[in-house]
Amino acid sequence: MLRFITAGESHGLGITAILDGMPAGVEVSDEELSFELSRRRKGYGRGKRANIEDDQVMITSGVSDGKTTGAPICVVIPNKDHVNWKGRYVPILAPRPGHADFAGMVKYGFDDCRPVAERASARETAGRVACGYFAKKLLEKEGIKVLSWVVQIGPISAELPPADKRMLSEREAERLFELAEASEVRCPDFAASERMKNLIDEAREKGDTLGGVFEVAVLNAPPGLGSYVQWDRRLDARLAAAVMSIQGIKGLEFGMGFKLSEVPGSKAHDPISIPNRPSNRAGGIEGGMSNGEIIFIRAAMKPIPTLQTPLSSVNVKTKEECRAHAERSDVCAVGSAAVVAESMVALVVADALLEVRGGDRW
Amino acid sequence: MLRFITAGESHGLGITAILDGMPAGVEVSDEELSFELSRRRKGYGRGKRANIEDDQVMITSGVSDGKTTGAPICVVIPNKDHVNWKGRYVPILAPRPGHADFAGMVKYGFDDCRPVAERASARETAGRVACGYFAKKLLEKEGIKVLSWVVQIGPISAELPPADKRMLSEREAERLFELAEASEVRCPDFAASERMKNLIDEAREKGDTLGGVFEVAVLNAPPGLGSYVQWDRRLDARLAAAVMSIQGIKGLEFGMGFKLSEVPGSKAHDPISIPNRPSNRAGGIEGGMSNGEIIFIRAAMKPIPTLQTPLSSVNVKTKEECRAHAERSDVCAVGSAAVVAESMVALVVADALLEVRGGDRW
Amino acid sequence: MLRFITAGESHGLGITAILDGMPAGVEVSDEELSFELSRRRKGYGRGKRANIEDDQVMITSGVSDGKTTGAPICVVIPNKDHVNWKGRYVPILAPRPGHADFAGMVKYGFDDCRPVAERASARETAGRVACGYFAKKLLEKEGIKVLSWVVQIGPISAELPPADKRMLSEREAERLFELAEASEVRCPDFAASERMKNLIDEAREKGDTLGGVFEVAVLNAPPGLGSYVQWDRRLDARLAAAVMSIQGIKGLEFGMGFKLSEVPGSKAHDPISIPNRPSNRAGGIEGGMSNGEIIFIRAAMKPIPTLQTPLSSVNVKTKEECRAHAERSDVCAVGSAAVVAESMVALVVADALLEVRGGDRW
Amino acid sequence: MLRFITAGESHGLGITAILDGMPAGVEVSDEELSFELSRRRKGYGRGKRANIEDDQVMITSGVSDGKTTGAPICVVIPNKDHVNWKGRYVPILAPRPGHADFAGMVKYGFDDCRPVAERASARETAGRVACGYFAKKLLEKEGIKVLSWVVQIGPISAELPPADKRMLSEREAERLFELAEASEVRCPDFAASERMKNLIDEAREKGDTLGGVFEVAVLNAPPGLGSYVQWDRRLDARLAAAVMSIQGIKGLEFGMGFKLSEVPGSKAHDPISIPNRPSNRAGGIEGGMSNGEIIFIRAAMKPIPTLQTPLSSVNVKTKEECRAHAERSDVCAVGSAAVVAESMVALVVADALLEVRGGDRW
C-alpha cells in the first residue's frame, strides 16, 4: 500500500511530505526531484513566489545511496520566505469567495481566516509533487509514463488533434507533452500559448484571475489495475478522488466523458479488435479497471480565488460588507495544477500496480 | 466511521450489503427501504429484470424494534431470478466493449468473461442503495436531504431553470425532485421526458442503448463537512470517488464545473454576503468543505455497454473477430444511476457529519 | 488487501460475513467450510447452543464452480434458534460483570443491555471462522498452515514438551494439533483433557465458568511478512489486534513472551545458523516481520462472563443491587476461541502475504 | 480520525513525524514537548546516544500561537550525530539475533543489513512520543491521564502494592507514576531501582542486555470508548496493536491478564456496584470498550538485541558462522519503552474519544 501525507503551511517553515510503502530498489535523484518541483512552480501566471520558492529540497529519509530502501520517504521543502513572515500575523477578516476561508474558520472555530488560508494554500501541493516523483520512478521501471498538458485557459482553447486522437496514440501523447514542456503555460499549441499569456497579462492588470482545463495521460499501464469487485477499489473512483482533491479542480472526466452521454451505445464504446482497438473513447478505463489503452483524464480548474480586485465579502468581526482579503497570489496556475495532477495520478496508478504485483522491492 | 461493503452476483442468490458505523437510535422501516430500492429499479428503459427484482428485501441485523442499534446493518436482496440460472453456466467468450469483461478476465485469469460480468453488473448497486437509505435517515434527523433528477438522455436535454438557479434555491431543488419522481425517466421536464421515452423506444428497436446526465443536490448541509487539511479528507474528493465508482459514470463536476474554467475569477466565485450569498457557482464546496450552500454535483453516464445489436469484439478462445456477447439488459438506466448517486452522496455526507459530531447515537 | 466485516446478532436471523480481496482461483468447498465451523462450535463446556447451531452454512457469492472468483465472498450462517426468539424481547436489566453489557448500554444510549448482548456475543465469531477458512485455503496453496491447541483450562495445565520445543519443530506442532483435534477440550494431553472435563463439570454444577490458555502456530510462513518500516505494518502488531479482538482474550505473547523479560539478551535471542536456528524463543517474529521460523502465539482467555450463579450487579432502572442477568451460556469455550484465533491469524498472515506477492489470482 | 506516520533513520538527518486529525484549539508548548522527548531518551541503561540526542525538537506545522490549528502537525527531531555518520557506510554483514536484520534484508533484497538496522531502530519511537504528546494534551482537556511505570527489569521485580490495588485507585496510580518519574529506571520501588541499576551495570560489563515489564494506566477514561460491534473497533485490539508495535515488546495483558485464565468466573469478573466497583481485574476493558475504570496494560519487553558480546550469527556474504554485528547500543531501555507505550496508548484513546465526541475543535 502506497500512502502519503503532507504537512506545512504557506508561510511556515516549509512543506513536509511522507510517502510510505515505496518498494526498495528504485533509483532516484535529488536533481530529478528538484526538476519535478520546478515544473510545478514555474509558469506564466504564477506569482513572484515562484522565485522565492526556488529552494533546496531535501530527502531526509528512505533513500540510501541513490536508491529507495523501502522505508518511509520524507521530503522537506523549506520555505525561504518564512523569515519574512516570522513573528508577523496578518489576520484575514474578509473571507475570500471561492476559498476555504469561510467554511474553515467556522469548522475549526477561529477568529479570523489566517490559519485556514495557511494550510488550504496550494503550496501544499509541492509535497504531493515530491511524493509523485517517487511514484513516477517506480512506474518508469515498468515503462509506464504519466504526462499532462494544458488545453484551455479561460475562454482560449488550444487547437490540437481531436480528442479521440490524443487519447489513442502514445506517440501523439508524448509529442503533446514535449510541446507542453516547452510552453510557459504548458500548452502544446504555441499560438494558443501566446494568446493565453496575453490573456493572463490582461487579467493581471485587471486584478483578475483565470482557470482552465488540462489533460493527463497514462501510457503503457497494463490491463487490470483497480477492480470492479468493490466500489472503493475502482481505479476511476480512486483517480477521481486524487485529481478532485487538488485545489481549484471542479470537474473531471475520463475519455470522452460528458460527450459519451450524448451518443448512443453503438457510437460510445470502443470495439475490441486485434492487435489494436480502433478508438479509446473510454479513456482507458472499463469496469473500474485499466484496459490496456491510454488512461486519459481531463480536469477543469476554476480561477484562483485570491483577486487583487477583490469580490465582495463580509468582515467576520463587524459583519459588515466589505472587499475580500487580497494578498500576493497567482493569476493563473493551470499548468502547475496539471503537474500536481500527474503526481496524484502516478501515486494512484503505482498503488494499484503494487496491489497486483506485490510491493517489497522492484 | 461509516463504511460499507457489498457482495453478490447478478444471477446469484442475491446481493448482500453490510453497513458498519451507523449510530444507534435512528428510526428506519422495511417499507421505506423497499421504496428506496424500487426507485433504483424502475424507470423507462430498464429491462424486464425490474419486475423480476421486485422482491422482499430483508434487514437481517443491526435494527431492533424499528431503530438502529449501532451494530452493523446487513441487508439482503434475494434474487428471484436465481432459480432460472441455477446450474446453468453461459460463458461470455466475446467481451463487450465498454464493459469490465476484457480487463477483468485478464486480471483474474478466467477462461471466459462470465465471472466478471456477474460481479461487475450494476445490480450490485442495489446494495449501495440499501446502505444509502440508512445514511439518508441519519441525515434526515439533521434536516439534510439528498435529491436527484435527470437533465439529459442521449442528445435530449431538459429545459429547466438555468443551472445557477437550480443550485441556489432549496425550494427549486425540491420542486425539481418532486417532478422527477413523477417522471418515468426521472426528468423534471415532462415534455422532455416524453421525447426521452421516444428516444429510448427507438434505441431499443435498433438494439442500441443510451446514457445521459443527472444532478444530485444536498440541501441543508452545515458548513465544514470534509476538510482542507489533508488531500483525502476533502469532501469533493470523497464525493467524486463515490459518484465515479458507479457503473457507467465517466464525468462529474461540482457547481458550474467545467464552465468555471472559462470565466475570470471575478465571474467565477460566489460573493459572500449576509444573509445569503447571491450565487452558488461553486456547488456548495469551497476548499474541500461544504460551505453551507446546496452541494451540487452533475454526472455523465455513458450508454449501457450491453447492446442487442452488438459491437465488434474478439472471441477469447479463437482470437477471431466476432460480435460482442449480448444478453438481456437495459436500454437506459440514467434515472437509476441518479438514485444510486443519491445513496453514495448520502453515505459520504453522513460519514463526514459523524466525523464532526461524533458517532454513537443520534 | 484482505478485509472482512461481520454482521448479525446472537438470536437474530443469522451471522453474515463478507470477505473482500480474496484472489481468484482458490479451490474451496462447502463441506470443508462446514467442518471449520463445526470445529468452533463443538467442545466440552459449550452450551446446548452447539447443537442448535448445526445449520447449513451458505456461500452466497464470490465462489463459482468450486473456486474463488476474486469477488467478495459472502457467507451466511442462519440461526435455527431464531424462530424461538422471534417476537420475544427479554430485556437485560442487570448488566453482567465482565461483559459488554454496561459500557455498551451507556455508549449507545439503550434502556437495557439486550441490544448490546445480542451483538457482543461470541456467536459473531462464526463469521470470522468462515472468513478464516478462505484465508487458510489461500495459505494452504503456499504450504502455510495455521494450527492451534489448548494448554490450560482454569488451573489445570497440560503436560506437553517444553515451550521451546513446541515452537521449534513443525512435526511436533502438527502432532500436537492432531492430538488436540481428537480431544473434546482441544488439549493434546489426554490425561489433562480428562481432568479439564471434570473441572468443567464441577464448574457447571456450581453455576460457574472457566477460561484458559491456548497456542496458535503458523508453519512455513516465509520470512519478511509484515514490515519494520511503519508501526502499523508490523506483523506482530497486526496479529496482536486480531487475536485480542476475540471475545474474552485478556493477554497474549509471542514466543517465550513474558519469560523473555526475565533473562539477559544472551539467553533471550535465537542464534542465527545454517541450516537451522537452534531455538525459536522469538516465536517467529523479529523486527515486526516473520523470520522464517514457526510463528507462535499464546493467548489467555478469561472465564465466560455469563454465570448461572450470577455475580452481583445493579439494576439499571431501579439502581438497586441485584444478581446479574443469567441466560443459557457456555461453561468454557477455550477450544472454540483457539479455533477463532486460528482464523484471525490466518486472515492476517494471508493479508501480509498478498502485500508481498500481489493479490489477483493464485 | 487521528493518524500518524513517522519517517527517519537512526543515523540519518533526523526523525520526522506527522500527526493528522488533531482538533484545533489544544494548547501545546515546545518546552512540554521537549520534556516528553527527554523522558523517552533518559534512563539508566541507555547508551551515550541519550546525550547526543539532546537536541532541538521543532514543530514545523499545525500549531499557531501556541494552539493546534486542526492542520497536520509535523515534528522534526534532528540528529546531532548525523555529521559523524555522513558519508560513512558501515555494512552489517552478520545479522543480529532478535533484530529485524535478517528478515528485513531478505524482504527488501539488500546485500547487507545496514538499511534495515537504520529504520528498524527504536530511535524511530521519538517520533511516536512526539505525536503522543499532542494526544496527551487533548486527553488532558478531558481530565484523562496516561501514566506508566516499570515493574521488573530482568529477574528483579519491584515490590509494589498488589496488582488489584494498582489497578483500582487513581490516587495510587498517580503516586506510582510520580515515584517512577523520580527513578533512573522508572521504577516506583526505590530499593528495587537500586538493584536494577546494579544489574544493568553487571550486564554492561558482560556485554549483555536486559528486558523487563512495565505497566500503563489510563485514568478517567469515560465508558464506551471503542466498540464491540466490529472486531477492528475494539479498544483492546487497537491498544494491543499500538503497544505490540513498539520495538522489543513480546507480550501484553489487560488487567489481571493471564492470571484470569486460571480462576473461575466467580473470581475473575468485577462485580458491578454503586458508587464504585470493588475490583478492576478486567483492566478497564469489557466487551472491547472502556468501562469507566482505570485502563490497565502490562507489557513485556525482551532484552535489547544488540549485544557487545555478540551471539553467533552467519555472515551473509560468506555464509560462514561468525559473531553477530555489534555497535553502540543500550543495555536496557524498559523505562523508555514505557514512555513510548504511554504515547501509543494516548494516541489510541484520543482517537477513540474523537470518534465519540467528534473531532474539529476542542
Side-chain angles (χ1 to χ4, degrees):
Chain A
M1 185 187 55
L2 208 53
R3 57 180 164 176
F4 71 98
I5 205 163
T6 72
E9 282 87 26
S10 185
H11 299 100
L13 286 161
I15 301 294
T16 305
I18 298 180
L19 174 66
D20 186 63
M22 264 297 280
V26 178
E27 284 178 36
V28 297
S29 83
D30 288 341
E31 293 68 32
E32 285 178 348
L33 173 56
S34 291
F35 178 71
E36 272 296 287
L37 287 164
S38 75
R39 291 181 63 229
R40 185 199 76 94
R41 201 169 58 233
K42 292 186 306 186
Y44 206 87
R46 297 301 309 276
K48 291 192 184 156
R49 184 81 184 249
N51 301 316
I52 296 169
E53 281 182 20
D54 181 16
D55 32 31
Q56 294 297 108
V57 57
M58 282 187 294
I59 302 172
T60 67
S61 70
V63 173
S64 176
D65 204 20
K67 283 189 180 175
T68 59
T69 64
I73 295 170
C74 182
V75 176
V76 180
I77 305 153
N79 181 11
K80 278 191 182 171
D81 195 26
H82 175 61
V83 288
N84 301 324
W85 280 76
K86 210 178 169 183
R88 284 174 59 198
Y89 185 89
V90 183
I92 299 179
L93 296 171
R96 285 161 291 177
H99 204 284
D101 286 358
F102 169 71
M105 191 190 71
V106 170
K107 179 181 182 73
Y108 290 111
F110 301 128
D111 293 331
D112 79 297
C113 309
R114 172 56 62 191
V116 180
E118 284 297 310
R119 176 64 190 161
S121 158
R123 181 157 163 74
E124 173 262 339
T125 57
R128 307 198 201 189
V129 170
C131 294
Y133 164 70
F134 296 95
K136 284 181 178 178
K137 293 302 285 182
L138 177 70
L139 295 175
E140 194 181 293
K141 290 193 97 169
E142 302 291 312
I144 303 169
K145 288 182 189 172
V146 185
L147 311 174
S148 75
W149 50 83
V150 170
V151 297
Q152 183 203 307
I153 300 250
I156 300 174
S157 291
E159 287 199 26
L160 297 175
D164 331 23
K165 203 172 165 205
R166 298 204 293 276
M167 292 190 246
L168 197 55
S169 157
E170 306 218 339
R171 186 174 304 176
E172 180 62 23
E174 301 218 41
R175 191 182 69 89
L176 293 175
F177 176 71
E178 278 164 33
L179 291 169
E181 288 290 285
S183 155
E184 282 181 282
V185 287
R186 303 203 71 250
C187 175
D189 172 352
F190 286 175
S193 288
E194 287 309 305
R195 281 182 291 134
M196 289 169 176
K197 285 162 60 182
N198 290 339
L199 193 71
I200 290 169
D201 288 339
E202 283 174 37
R204 182 181 287 112
E205 276 164 38
K206 289 183 194 159
D208 214 335
T209 59
L210 290 164
V213 175
F214 60 82
E215 293 173 347
V216 182
V218 184
L219 313 190
N220 210 23
L225 302 182
S227 180
Y228 58 87
V229 301
Q230 199 67 251
W231 74 274
D232 55 0
R233 295 180 58 197
R234 288 181 178 256
L235 190 65
D236 42 4
R238 291 151 73 179
L239 287 168
V243 174
M244 193 61 83
S245 76
I246 301 168
Q247 288 84 335
I249 304 303
K250 298 301 281 187
L252 60 84
E253 49 188 4
F254 288 88
M256 298 301 293
F258 277 86
K259 291 225 165 57
L260 289 176
S261 69
E262 297 169 13
V263 294
S266 52
K267 300 209 166 99
H269 302 299
D270 306 305
I272 295 172
S273 58
I274 291 177
N276 295 311
R277 296 172 80 161
S279 61
N280 181 23
R281 297 153 177 159
I285 307 267
E286 289 174 311
M289 291 168 291
S290 60
N291 66 1
E293 306 299 314
I294 296 177
I295 299 173
F296 201 92
I297 306 167
R298 191 190 339 268
M301 187 186 196
K302 69 179 181 185
I304 303 282
T306 305
L307 278 67
Q308 302 305 320
T309 306
L311 293 168
S312 62
S313 181
V314 171
N315 183 299
V316 296
K317 295 238 158 118
T318 64
K319 312 295 178 200
E320 280 169 14
E321 298 239 341
C322 61
R323 290 286 119 191
H325 179 83
E327 66 185 50
R328 188 188 61 194
S329 187
D330 301 328
V331 174
C332 179
V334 181
S336 299
V339 173
V340 179
E342 272 179 25
S343 305
M344 295 300 289
V345 167
L347 284 157
V348 170
V349 173
D351 185 34
L353 190 66
L354 291 177
E355 282 171 18
V356 172
R357 305 267 178 103
D360 279 351
R361 53 179 180 265
W362 219 254
Chain B
M1 185 186 56
L2 207 55
R3 59 181 163 175
F4 72 98
I5 206 164
T6 72
E9 282 85 26
S10 185
H11 299 99
L13 287 161
I15 301 295
T16 305
I18 297 180
L19 174 66
D20 187 62
M22 267 294 284
V26 178
E27 285 180 35
V28 296
S29 83
D30 288 341
E31 292 69 32
E32 284 178 349
L33 173 56
S34 290
F35 178 72
E36 272 297 286
L37 286 165
S38 74
R39 291 180 63 228
R40 184 199 75 95
R41 201 168 59 234
K42 291 186 307 186
Y44 206 87
R46 298 299 310 276
K48 290 191 184 158
R49 184 84 185 249
N51 301 314
I52 297 168
E53 280 183 22
D54 180 14
D55 33 31
Q56 295 297 108
V57 58
M58 282 186 295
I59 302 173
T60 67
S61 71
V63 173
S64 177
D65 206 21
K67 283 189 179 173
T68 58
T69 63
I73 295 170
C74 182
V75 176
V76 180
I77 305 155
N79 180 12
K80 276 190 182 171
D81 195 26
H82 176 63
V83 288
N84 302 322
W85 281 76
K86 209 177 169 181
R88 283 173 62 198
Y89 184 87
V90 183
I92 299 179
L93 296 171
R96 287 160 289 179
H99 203 283
D101 286 358
F102 169 70
M105 191 188 71
V106 171
K107 179 181 180 73
Y108 290 111
F110 302 128
D111 293 331
D112 79 297
C113 309
R114 172 57 62 191
V116 180
E118 284 297 309
R119 176 62 190 163
S121 159
R123 182 158 162 74
E124 174 264 339
T125 57
R128 307 198 201 188
V129 171
C131 294
Y133 164 69
F134 296 95
K136 284 181 177 178
K137 293 303 286 184
L138 177 71
L139 295 176
E140 194 181 293
K141 291 192 96 169
E142 301 291 313
I144 302 170
K145 288 181 189 172
V146 185
L147 311 175
S148 75
W149 50 81
V150 171
V151 297
Q152 182 203 310
I153 301 249
I156 300 175
S157 290
E159 289 199 23
L160 297 175
D164 333 22
K165 200 169 168 206
R166 297 205 293 278
M167 291 190 248
L168 197 55
S169 155
E170 306 218 338
R171 188 174 302 175
E172 181 62 22
E174 301 218 39
R175 191 183 71 87
L176 293 175
F177 177 71
E178 278 164 32
L179 291 169
E181 289 291 285
S183 155
E184 282 180 281
V185 286
R186 304 205 68 248
C187 175
D189 172 351
F190 286 175
S193 289
E194 288 308 305
R195 282 182 291 134
M196 289 167 176
K197 284 161 62 180
N198 291 338
L199 193 72
I200 290 168
D201 288 339
E202 282 172 37
R204 184 181 285 112
E205 275 164 37
K206 289 182 194 158
D208 213 333
T209 58
L210 291 165
V213 175
F214 59 83
E215 294 173 347
V216 182
V218 183
L219 312 189
N220 210 23
L225 302 182
S227 179
Y228 57 88
V229 300
Q230 199 65 253
W231 73 275
D232 56 359
R233 294 180 58 196
R234 289 181 177 255
L235 190 65
D236 41 5
R238 291 150 75 177
L239 287 168
V243 173
M244 193 60 83
S245 76
I246 301 170
Q247 287 86 335
I249 303 303
K250 297 301 282 186
L252 60 83
E253 48 187 5
F254 288 88
M256 297 302 291
F258 277 85
K259 291 225 165 57
L260 291 175
S261 69
E262 298 170 12
V263 294
S266 52
K267 299 210 166 97
H269 302 298
D270 306 304
I272 296 172
S273 59
I274 292 176
N276 296 310
R277 296 172 80 161
S279 61
N280 181 24
R281 297 153 177 160
I285 308 268
E286 288 175 313
M289 291 168 290
S290 60
N291 66 0
E293 306 300 312
I294 296 177
I295 298 173
F296 201 93
I297 305 166
R298 192 190 337 271
M301 186 186 197
K302 69 180 180 185
I304 303 281
T306 305
L307 278 70
Q308 303 305 319
T309 306
L311 293 169
S312 62
S313 182
V314 171
N315 183 299
V316 296
K317 296 238 157 119
T318 65
K319 311 294 179 204
E320 282 169 12
E321 297 242 339
C322 62
R323 291 285 118 192
H325 179 82
E327 66 184 50
R328 189 187 59 194
S329 188
D330 300 328
V331 173
C332 179
V334 182
S336 300
V339 173
V340 178
E342 274 179 25
S343 304
M344 295 300 289
V345 167
L347 284 157
V348 170
V349 173
D351 186 34
L353 189 66
L354 291 178
E355 281 172 19
V356 172
R357 305 267 177 105
D360 279 352
R361 53 180 182 264
W362 219 254
Chain C
M1 184 187 57
L2 207 55
R3 59 182 163 176
F4 73 97
I5 205 164
T6 72
E9 282 86 25
S10 185
H11 300 98
L13 286 160
I15 300 295
T16 305
I18 297 179
L19 174 66
D20 187 61
M22 264 297 281
V26 178
E27 284 179 38
V28 296
S29 84
D30 288 342
E31 292 68 33
E32 284 178 349
L33 173 56
S34 290
F35 177 72
E36 272 296 288
L37 286 164
S38 74
R39 291 180 63 228
R40 185 200 74 96
R41 200 168 60 234
K42 291 186 307 185
Y44 207 85
R46 297 300 310 274
K48 289 190 184 158
R49 185 81 186 250
N51 302 314
I52 296 169
E53 281 182 22
D54 180 15
D55 33 30
Q56 295 297 108
V57 58
M58 282 187 295
I59 301 173
T60 68
S61 71
V63 173
S64 177
D65 204 22
K67 282 189 180 173
T68 58
T69 64
I73 295 170
C74 182
V75 176
V76 180
I77 305 154
N79 180 11
K80 278 190 180 171
D81 194 26
H82 175 63
V83 289
N84 302 323
W85 280 77
K86 210 179 169 181
R88 282 173 62 197
Y89 184 88
V90 183
I92 299 178
L93 296 171
R96 287 161 290 177
H99 203 284
D101 287 357
F102 169 70
M105 191 189 72
V106 170
K107 178 181 181 71
Y108 289 112
F110 301 127
D111 293 331
D112 78 297
C113 308
R114 172 57 63 190
V116 180
E118 284 298 309
R119 177 62 190 162
S121 158
R123 182 157 162 74
E124 174 263 339
T125 58
R128 308 198 201 189
V129 170
C131 294
Y133 164 69
F134 296 94
K136 283 181 179 179
K137 292 303 285 184
L138 177 71
L139 295 176
E140 194 181 293
K141 290 192 96 169
E142 301 291 312
I144 303 170
K145 288 182 190 172
V146 185
L147 311 174
S148 75
W149 50 80
V150 171
V151 297
Q152 182 202 310
I153 300 247
I156 300 174
S157 292
E159 287 199 25
L160 298 174
D164 332 23
K165 200 168 168 209
R166 297 204 293 277
M167 291 190 249
L168 196 56
S169 156
E170 306 218 338
R171 187 173 303 175
E172 180 63 24
E174 301 218 41
R175 191 182 70 88
L176 292 175
F177 176 71
E178 277 163 34
L179 291 170
E181 288 291 285
S183 154
E184 281 180 283
V185 286
R186 303 203 69 248
C187 174
D189 172 351
F190 287 175
S193 289
E194 288 309 304
R195 282 181 292 134
M196 288 168 176
K197 284 162 63 182
N198 291 339
L199 193 72
I200 290 169
D201 288 338
E202 282 173 37
R204 182 182 286 111
E205 274 164 40
K206 289 183 194 157
D208 213 332
T209 59
L210 291 164
V213 175
F214 60 81
E215 293 174 347
V216 182
V218 184
L219 312 191
N220 211 24
L225 303 182
S227 179
Y228 58 87
V229 299
Q230 199 65 254
W231 73 274
D232 55 0
R233 295 180 58 197
R234 289 181 176 254
L235 190 65
D236 42 3
R238 291 150 75 178
L239 287 168
V243 173
M244 193 60 84
S245 76
I246 301 169
Q247 288 84 336
I249 304 302
K250 298 301 282 186
L252 60 83
E253 49 188 3
F254 288 87
M256 297 303 292
F258 276 86
K259 290 224 166 60
L260 290 175
S261 68
E262 298 169 13
V263 293
S266 52
K267 300 208 167 99
H269 302 298
D270 305 306
I272 296 173
S273 59
I274 291 177
N276 296 310
R277 296 172 79 162
S279 61
N280 182 23
R281 297 154 179 158
I285 308 267
E286 288 174 312
M289 290 169 290
S290 60
N291 66 0
E293 306 299 313
I294 296 177
I295 299 173
F296 201 92
I297 305 166
R298 193 191 335 270
M301 187 185 197
K302 69 181 182 185
I304 304 281
T306 306
L307 277 68
Q308 303 304 320
T309 306
L311 293 168
S312 62
S313 182
V314 171
N315 183 299
V316 296
K317 297 239 156 119
T318 64
K319 312 295 178 202
E320 282 170 11
E321 297 240 340
C322 62
R323 291 286 119 191
H325 179 83
E327 67 185 51
R328 188 187 61 194
S329 188
D330 300 329
V331 173
C332 179
V334 181
S336 300
V339 172
V340 178
E342 273 179 25
S343 305
M344 295 299 290
V345 167
L347 284 157
V348 169
V349 173
D351 186 34
L353 189 66
L354 291 176
E355 282 171 19
V356 172
R357 306 267 178 104
D360 279 353
R361 55 180 181 265
W362 220 254
Chain D
M1 184 187 56
L2 207 55
R3 58 181 163 176
F4 72 98
I5 206 163
T6 71
E9 282 85 26
S10 185
H11 300 99
L13 286 161
I15 301 295
T16 306
I18 298 180
L19 174 66
D20 186 62
M22 264 297 282
V26 178
E27 285 179 35
V28 296
S29 84
D30 288 341
E31 292 69 32
E32 284 178 348
L33 173 56
S34 291
F35 178 71
E36 273 296 286
L37 286 164
S38 75
R39 291 180 64 228
R40 184 198 77 93
R41 203 169 57 233
K42 292 186 306 186
Y44 206 86
R46 297 300 309 276
K48 290 190 184 158
R49 183 82 184 249
N51 301 316
I52 296 169
E53 281 182 20
D54 181 14
D55 33 30
Q56 293 298 106
V57 58
M58 282 186 294
I59 302 173
T60 68
S61 71
V63 173
S64 177
D65 204 20
K67 283 188 179 174
T68 59
T69 64
I73 295 169
C74 181
V75 176
V76 180
I77 305 154
N79 180 12
K80 278 190 182 173
D81 194 26
H82 175 63
V83 288
N84 301 324
W85 280 76
K86 210 178 170 183
R88 283 173 61 198
Y89 184 88
V90 183
I92 299 179
L93 296 171
R96 287 161 288 177
H99 203 284
D101 286 357
F102 168 71
M105 191 189 71
V106 170
K107 178 182 181 73
Y108 290 111
F110 301 127
D111 293 330
D112 78 296
C113 309
R114 172 57 62 192
V116 180
E118 283 298 308
R119 176 63 190 161
S121 157
R123 180 154 162 76
E124 174 264 339
T125 57
R128 308 197 200 190
V129 170
C131 294
Y133 164 68
F134 296 94
K136 283 181 178 178
K137 293 303 286 184
L138 177 70
L139 294 175
E140 193 181 294
K141 289 193 97 169
E142 302 291 313
I144 302 170
K145 288 182 190 172
V146 185
L147 311 175
S148 75
W149 50 82
V150 171
V151 297
Q152 182 202 310
I153 299 243
I156 300 175
S157 292
E159 287 199 27
L160 296 175
D164 333 21
K165 201 169 167 210
R166 298 204 293 276
M167 291 190 246
L168 197 56
S169 157
E170 306 218 338
R171 186 173 304 175
E172 179 63 22
E174 301 218 39
R175 190 182 71 88
L176 293 175
F177 176 72
E178 278 164 33
L179 291 169
E181 289 290 285
S183 154
E184 281 181 283
V185 286
R186 304 205 68 250
C187 174
D189 172 351
F190 286 174
S193 289
E194 287 309 305
R195 281 181 292 135
M196 289 168 176
K197 284 162 61 181
N198 291 339
L199 193 70
I200 289 168
D201 288 339
E202 283 172 37
R204 182 181 287 111
E205 276 164 39
K206 290 182 195 159
D208 213 334
T209 58
L210 291 164
V213 175
F214 59 82
E215 293 174 346
V216 182
V218 184
L219 276 46
N220 210 22
L225 302 182
S227 178
Y228 58 87
V229 301
Q230 198 67 251
W231 74 274
D232 56 0
R233 296 180 57 199
R234 289 180 178 256
L235 190 64
D236 40 5
R238 292 150 73 178
L239 287 168
V243 174
M244 193 60 84
S245 76
I246 301 169
Q247 286 84 335
I249 304 303
K250 297 302 281 187
L252 61 82
E253 49 188 3
F254 289 88
M256 298 300 293
F258 276 86
K259 290 225 166 57
L260 290 175
S261 69
E262 297 169 12
V263 294
S266 52
K267 299 209 166 100
H269 302 298
D270 306 304
I272 296 172
S273 59
I274 291 178
N276 295 312
R277 295 172 81 161
S279 61
N280 180 24
R281 296 153 177 159
I285 308 268
E286 288 174 311
M289 292 169 289
S290 61
N291 66 1
E293 306 299 313
I294 296 177
I295 299 173
F296 201 92
I297 306 166
R298 192 190 337 268
M301 187 185 197
K302 69 179 181 185
I304 303 282
T306 305
L307 278 68
Q308 303 304 322
T309 306
L311 293 169
S312 62
S313 181
V314 171
N315 183 299
V316 296
K317 297 237 157 120
T318 64
K319 312 296 178 202
E320 282 169 13
E321 298 240 339
C322 62
R323 291 287 118 194
H325 179 83
E327 67 185 48
R328 187 188 61 194
S329 187
D330 301 329
V331 173
C332 178
V334 182
S336 299
V339 173
V340 178
E342 273 180 24
S343 303
M344 295 299 290
V345 166
L347 284 157
V348 170
V349 172
D351 186 34
L353 190 66
L354 291 177
E355 281 172 19
V356 172
R357 305 267 177 104
D360 279 351
R361 53 179 181 265
W362 219 255

